[in-house]
Amino acid sequence: MFDILTRTIPQLSIQVTSTDTTTGETSTRDIPLDVPAEQTMTPAAVVNAVQEGVNGARAGSNGSVGKLGSDTDEDTSGPEVVLTMPTHEQWLDSQAKMITTVPFLTLAGSAELPGTFSDGSPIPAETARRVAKHAKSWTRILTDPATGTPVDAKAATYQIPENVRQTLIAKWQACTIPGCTRRAETTEIDHVVPFDHEHPADGGLTRFGNLHPLCKMHHQAKTDRKYSVRMNRAGFVQYVFRHGLSTEVAAGDYPINAAHAKVFEELQRQAAPTSDPPKSTTRPAGERWHGDKQISEGCPGPAAADGQAGWVKNTPLA
């Protein structure tokens, strides 16, 4: 419920009920919370915003009585925080979205490797299979067999396709600027080299070597040229700040995915047939064995005919 509360801050309001002690009439008014829609709220920030709104509602109520000069007394009852929740399907779907990564062999029941949430938290294999069973969509992610890090995804458009976004989220897990812990699934995707809208093939491609997640605040800071971003080698983002300071951020290794690659390789090795059948200890006279060497005179090919090349006996040069 708190997740829903913090995601709908623009629709929160404080409802103040006032009772006139002379007439007994009750009036109700709503005071919206003054919280920017783009601001991400922590539990403490939500509590503080609500408390400030309550104090402001009480002060406003008392002040209005004095200005009007009314001879009646108003008894302001306890204010309530009102949450207006949208009910349309798109909003509800976005509230319930959950991104999980599950090894293929775990889905197939051939391994018990855990899945992971988008922040890297593990999910028991049986639970991961149950989650995948009810998923609306699946995205295939290719990973490096040594490190388990997602390796590639690309598109020809400026808009980030869902499969590319999901692969980037799985790779970076969080905003790439040093010190920021904003989860990648709530960030924006930044083109390191700006996308060329007139000639897409000339630069700024929507592919792994040019994409990384940045939260809205740090993405805007990059747009305002407060720092620059480079990606000189795969899997590393370099930030260059003022006064020549720079730092590199690398995508982490994923031991679960690396273990999955080893299990997959072992299963393939066990299922692979042997290259050569075992040789018997006896054979009929004159029968050739696999691997025996023969000279051309012993096994001539077809003779040349009708202009087609064919086998001819070697003639020593004089």
Side-chain angles (χ1 to χ4, degrees):
M1 291 303 297
F2 183 80
D3 290 340
I4 296 177
L5 181 71
T6 56
R7 291 189 185 192
T8 56
I9 285 174
Q11 301 179 48
L12 282 175
S13 63
I14 299 174
Q15 189 176 85
V16 181
T17 303
S18 301
T19 303
D20 191 317
T21 56
T22 303
T23 63
E25 294 182 357
T26 300
S27 61
T28 303
R29 60 194 180 98
D30 291 339
I31 301 177
L33 288 180
D34 186 16
V35 179
E38 67 276 6
Q39 182 175 343
T40 299
M41 299 297 289
T42 63
V46 171
V47 172
N48 292 336
V50 171
Q51 187 61 47
E52 290 176 3
V54 170
N55 294 336
R58 286 173 173 166
S61 177
N62 295 334
S64 63
V65 174
K67 290 180 182 178
L68 292 175
S70 173
D71 294 332
T72 62
D73 294 329
E74 286 191 354
D75 178 24
T76 304
S77 62
E80 297 180 354
V81 178
V82 179
L83 171 63
T84 304
M85 294 178 58
T87 57
H88 55 84
E89 183 178 356
Q90 182 179 1
W91 182 88
L92 293 174
D93 182 69
S94 67
Q95 300 306 302
K97 187 174 184 180
M98 178 175 61
I99 300 175
T100 60
T101 304
V102 186
F104 166 74
L105 292 177
T106 297
L107 287 177
S110 300
E112 293 300 313
L113 294 169
T116 55
F117 285 117
S118 55
D119 63 351
S121 303
I123 313 170
E126 182 59 32
T127 303
R129 282 191 284 265
R130 289 165 53 193
V131 170
K133 179 180 178 181
H134 298 284
K136 293 183 178 180
S137 62
W138 291 7
T139 300
R140 183 190 66 172
I141 297 177
L142 301 179
T143 61
D144 186 322
T147 64
T149 304
V151 292
D152 194 20
K154 58 184 177 180
T157 62
Y158 175 73
Q159 297 297 329
I160 312 297
E162 190 64 21
N163 64 325
V164 176
R165 181 181 295 275
Q166 298 295 350
T167 309
L168 284 166
I169 289 173
K171 177 179 181 178
W172 292 102
Q173 296 188 354
C175 173
T176 59
I177 196 166
C180 184
T181 58
R182 186 73 55 81
R183 293 171 63 171
E185 64 189 82
T186 62
T187 61
E188 299 176 348
I189 303 301
D190 172 54
H191 288 74
V192 175
V193 178
F195 185 84
D196 191 331
H197 291 271
E198 295 183 359
H199 306 285
D202 293 344
L205 297 178
T206 303
R207 62 189 312 164
F208 251 43
N210 193 44
L211 299 173
H212 67 120
L214 275 176
C215 67
K216 186 177 183 66
M217 180 179 66
H218 292 128
H219 196 179
Q220 184 60 47
K222 174 180 178 283
T223 303
D224 295 340
R225 301 182 182 277
K226 294 184 178 179
Y227 49 78
S228 61
V229 182
R230 304 170 185 169
M231 194 174 286
N232 298 326
R233 49 182 177 149
F236 289 83
V237 176
Q238 183 183 39
Y239 283 91
V240 180
F241 301 94
R242 296 175 181 176
H243 309 296
L245 298 177
S246 65
T247 185
E248 272 192 339
V249 179
D253 293 347
Y254 297 80
I256 294 175
N257 294 341
H260 178 256
K262 293 180 180 179
V263 174
F264 201 94
E265 182 180 10
E266 179 63 22
L267 291 176
Q268 285 185 312
R269 187 187 65 78
Q270 294 175 3
T274 56
S275 57
D276 293 323
K279 292 184 178 181
S280 60
T281 56
T282 60
R283 62 173 171 169
E287 181 180 342
R288 299 190 183 119
W289 280 24
H290 176 70
D292 286 351
K293 294 182 179 179
Q294 298 287 329
I295 61 175
S296 60
E297 293 183 354
C299 53
D306 298 330
Q308 299 295 325
W311 181 87
V312 294
K313 184 175 181 180
N314 183 34
T315 302
L317 298 176

